[in-house]
Amino acid sequence: MNEQQHAPISVEEMAHAFEEEVGPVDLSPYAVEDWVNLAIFWAMAICVFLQFFTRYALNNSLAWTEEIAANCLVVVVFLGSVMCVRMMRHIQVDFIYQFLSPKLRRALELVVDFIVIGFFAYTTWLMWRYIAIVGNERMVTVNLPRGYVFYTVFAAFALMLARSVQNFVKDMINEKTVREEASESGAQGI
Amino acid sequence: MLLLIGSFLVLMIVGVPVAVSLGVASLAYLVIYGVAPDIIAAQRMIAGVESFPLIAVPFFIFAGNLMNIAGVTGRIYQFALSLVGWMKGGLAQVNIVGSVVFSGMSGTALADAAGIGTIEIKAMKDHGYPVEAAVGVTAASATLGPIFPPSLPFVIYGMMANVSIGALFMAGVVPGVVMTTLMMVTVFIFAHRKGWGSDTPFELRRLASASLEILIVLCFPAAVYLLVLAGLSINVAVLIGLVALVALDWYFDFSAVMALMTPVLLIGGMTMGWFTPTEAAVAAVIWSLFLGLVRYRTMTLRTLAKASFDTIETTASVLFIVTTATIFAWLLTVSQAAQMFSNFMFSLTDNWWTFLIIVNIVLLIVGAFLDTIAAISILVPILMPIAARYGIDPVHMGLILTLNLMIGLLTPPVGVVLFVLSRISKLSIERTALAILPWMVPLFVALLLITFIPQITLWLPTQFGLIK
């Protein structure tokens, strides 16, 4: 019944098996909007740190950090979502695709693409109308227009629409679909 | 209501991204039934993520990603090997202990499975363990990630259910220990039945040094407490403690003390009211930056940028679901679904444990099909009011919900961890699912214990005065 039989080896030697080899980092797949988003992400980190720091070191917490950080999060989520659309990294369920013939699978993917494009078109329009109502609001703790956030979210939805159309066109032209490329780079979720 | 839930399920199964499925279903319901102007959807989406507590999500993800490139992986396994490598089925035990340490730094099951799972499975395979066993242990131990603090599902649950996130984190500690023990017992039984030997020689010196490291970490809060008793202010005491610890680590070059400190700092900081969960997450980021840039010097600007991009990607894909799930959850409330479900439950039973059995069964089914975040955002508004009427503590409910959904990550048809492990191990989905099956036993035992003995969950946070 012995499935595994070998002499014990030393901890040092064994620990080598757990060392990860790190390959060179490839930053080329990231687009302009992603780098903008990176800056906002770090700005959010600095805001939260500032809040903590001013409270303990200066005994006088800056009120605006919380609101700015929360607004940064809104931007990070929607702009980051553009990246997920482009790379097909949004969380989705594709288990029924295993049971379909390639032709049927392709047809279903087209249907999904249409639904996604339609959704982003509708939400872009929705955001546009929303801005018309609340675009002039100002933030509570600092005298800044909230329009910055709303227009960025609107831009993010417009970009999601553009990127999903772009992927659709790519799929029409290229041999390998964006989905197939995405499926090679691992799963998403928590 | 049928339209709302039905169209969401159909869209999701067809392969529309979960967030878009929720959005399309909600918008369709809004437009067709005209409950409210559709522009409210835009407002809800933005409001859904415009929250300070939610900022903890990206930073806990970031801290986990940074830890992966901070050069602590090898050290943690050296620690785990010294501690349990000599046992029968050593590498399987090491796998579990390694996951426990990692779950103290990251808050997700997937990061555990995909990040360290790759090396764990490879190491076990290389040393003669059957792939199935390697996959099973890795899958089971990955569920610890969101149970031991920090935990992303807890952050999102806490926000949705309006429960203290600090209390939830604290509540996860004892259940985490229970789960770890059960899994280690399972490995012990497996090792005896299948004749697994030990993988490293037994050395008292190594075991002692690994135990000493745990002791040092546990001494940190005690030392801080003593310093405070000696009349120092708490800030100064913590600062002195940290400086002393870093100096000791520099001198003796411990393997895992710094990594083990992460959860101690987070929990300690939050229970003492030092920082909010969001600030704790940033503190974890700073801690891992300190380890990677100053202590072990393994990070570069490029790896840092890559880790940030990975974080943004995960954050966006998770929180984009929250944006549309907010509309969906609101419509569920408006359409009286929660009320109907509540009345239905009370017509069935009026004692809490029957209710919990039903909830567990429902959650296991839901968890097998639905993404974790979508499930939490949809179920919380339905379950919370009922749980309150049965007198179940919301913290207890959070633990039950999360553990069920984590088990759901391991089960077909939709199980992210299952898919990731099948890709890593190059086994088919079916064989991976079969390999995980025996390892479900400790998880289900843990689920039963946690469900029916509320004290496991509630004892620690009550001791610290986090819940009344």
Side-chain angles (χ1 to χ4, degrees), chain A residues 1 3-4 6 9 12 25 30 38 51 55-56 73 80 89 91 97 122 129-130 146 183 188 190, chain B residues 14 18 38 43 49-50 52 127 130 194 197 199-200 206 274 279 302 306 308 313 317 373 423:
Chain A
M1 261 319 267
E3 287 188 3
Q4 167 253 19
H6 60 82
I9 50 177
E12 266 83 19
V25 180
Y30 298 104
L38 185 78
Q51 185 184 40
R55 191 166 74 234
Y56 284 102
L73 180 69
R89 302 286 284 155
I91 298 172
Y97 285 81
Y122 189 84
R129 287 188 293 146
Y130 183 55
R146 291 200 71 201
S183 70
Q188 195 59 276
I190 68 170
Chain B
V14 164
V18 176
D38 60 351
Q43 184 264 334
V49 285
E50 192 191 344
F52 194 69
H127 289 92
K194 307 240 169 171
D199 293 296
T200 54
R206 284 191 180 281
W274 241 52
E279 289 164 349
R302 289 184 76 86
K306 177 77 175 120
S308 314
E313 194 181 297
S317 64
I373 300 307
R423 194 200 317 261

Side-chain angles (χ1 to χ4, degrees), chain B residues 85-171:
Chain B
W86 50 271
M87 291 180 184
K88 286 196 188 308
L91 278 185
Q93 303 283 22
V94 167
N95 189 327
I96 293 171
V97 172
S99 294
V100 171
V101 179
F102 264 95
S103 65
M105 302 184 300
S106 84
T108 69
L110 193 66
D112 264 23
I116 57 173
T118 318
I119 42 176
E120 285 173 343
I121 291 178
K122 188 175 163 292
M124 283 182 76
K125 220 159 67 176
D126 289 352
H127 289 92
Y129 285 86
V131 193
E132 279 83 1
V135 168
V137 184
T138 310
S141 62
T143 54
L144 287 171
I147 301 293
F148 267 119
S151 153
L152 288 193
F154 284 169
V155 173
I156 292 176
Y157 174 84
M159 199 204 64
M160 295 273 169
N162 218 353
V163 177
S164 151
I165 296 170
L168 282 165
F169 278 10
M170 203 55 142

Side-chain angles (χ1 to χ4, degrees), chain B residues 128-423:
Chain B
Y129 285 86
V131 193
E132 279 83 1
V135 168
V137 184
T138 310
S141 62
T143 54
L144 287 171
I147 301 293
F148 267 119
S151 153
L152 288 193
F154 284 169
V155 173
I156 292 176
Y157 174 84
M159 199 204 64
M160 295 273 169
N162 218 353
V163 177
S164 151
I165 296 170
L168 282 165
F169 278 10
M170 203 55 142
V173 176
V174 181
V177 173
V178 170
M179 286 168 70
T180 312
T181 318
L182 286 170
M183 280 179 217
M184 291 183 80
V185 169
T186 316
V187 170
F188 181 78
I189 295 170
F190 258 83
H192 268 264
R193 292 186 57 180
K194 307 240 169 171
W196 294 344
S198 54
D199 293 296
T200 54
F202 178 78
E203 287 172 72
L204 194 62
R205 198 177 53 82
R206 284 191 180 281
L207 182 62
S209 79
S211 315
L212 184 69
E213 291 196 6
I214 301 180
L215 203 68
I216 290 173
V217 171
L218 291 178
C219 275
F220 180 79
V224 169
Y225 182 69
L226 285 179
L227 284 174
V228 171
L229 277 191
L232 288 171
S233 85
I234 186 119
N235 296 11
V236 178
V238 171
L239 213 63
I240 291 177
L242 272 183
V243 170
L245 188 78
V246 170
L248 276 177
D249 183 65
W250 215 288
Y251 190 73
F252 290 107
D253 198 26
F254 298 126
S255 17
V257 167
M258 299 307 242
L260 288 171
M261 272 306 291
T262 321
V264 173
L265 283 179
L266 291 184
I267 296 283
M270 276 190 284
T271 41
M272 291 194 312
W274 241 52
F275 30 59
T276 61
T278 309
E279 289 164 349
V282 173
V285 168
I286 293 173
W287 184 247
S288 39
L289 281 176
F290 167 75
L291 293 187
L293 292 173
V294 182
R295 179 68 184 87
Y296 303 135
R297 306 221 180 136
T298 46
M299 281 181 198
T300 61
L301 268 186
R302 289 184 76 86
T303 52
L304 198 57
K306 177 77 175 120
S308 314
F309 277 129
D310 287 344
T311 307
I312 293 173
E313 194 181 297
T314 312
T315 307
S317 64
V318 168
L319 290 189
F320 195 52
I321 295 184
V322 172
T323 65
T324 48
T326 318
I327 324 175
F328 193 85
W330 167 62
L331 287 176
L332 272 185
T333 332
V334 170
S335 69
Q336 304 279 308
Q339 192 60 42
M340 276 163 60
F341 187 65
S342 164
N343 291 341
F344 174 68
M345 280 310 302
F346 271 94
S347 69
L348 279 182
T349 174
D350 54 4
N351 66 7
W352 64 275
W353 55 268
T354 333
F355 166 69
L356 282 183
I357 292 176
I358 300 172
V359 165
N360 270 318
I361 294 169
V362 170
L363 283 176
L364 282 173
I365 297 170
V366 169
F369 285 93
L370 214 56
D371 165 76
T372 312
I373 300 307
I376 293 180
S377 345
I378 295 170
L379 289 176
V380 164
I382 299 184
L383 285 181
M384 289 320 292
I386 316 176
R389 281 174 68 186
Y390 280 102
I392 293 161
D393 194 281
V395 172
H396 185 202
M397 195 67 211
L399 252 290
I400 297 174
L401 182 70
T402 308
L403 187 52
N404 270 303
L405 295 177
M406 289 309 115
I407 293 177
L409 290 181
L410 310 183
T411 50
V414 184
V416 195
V417 170
L418 174 75
F419 295 161
V420 166
L421 290 180
S422 119
R423 194 200 317 261

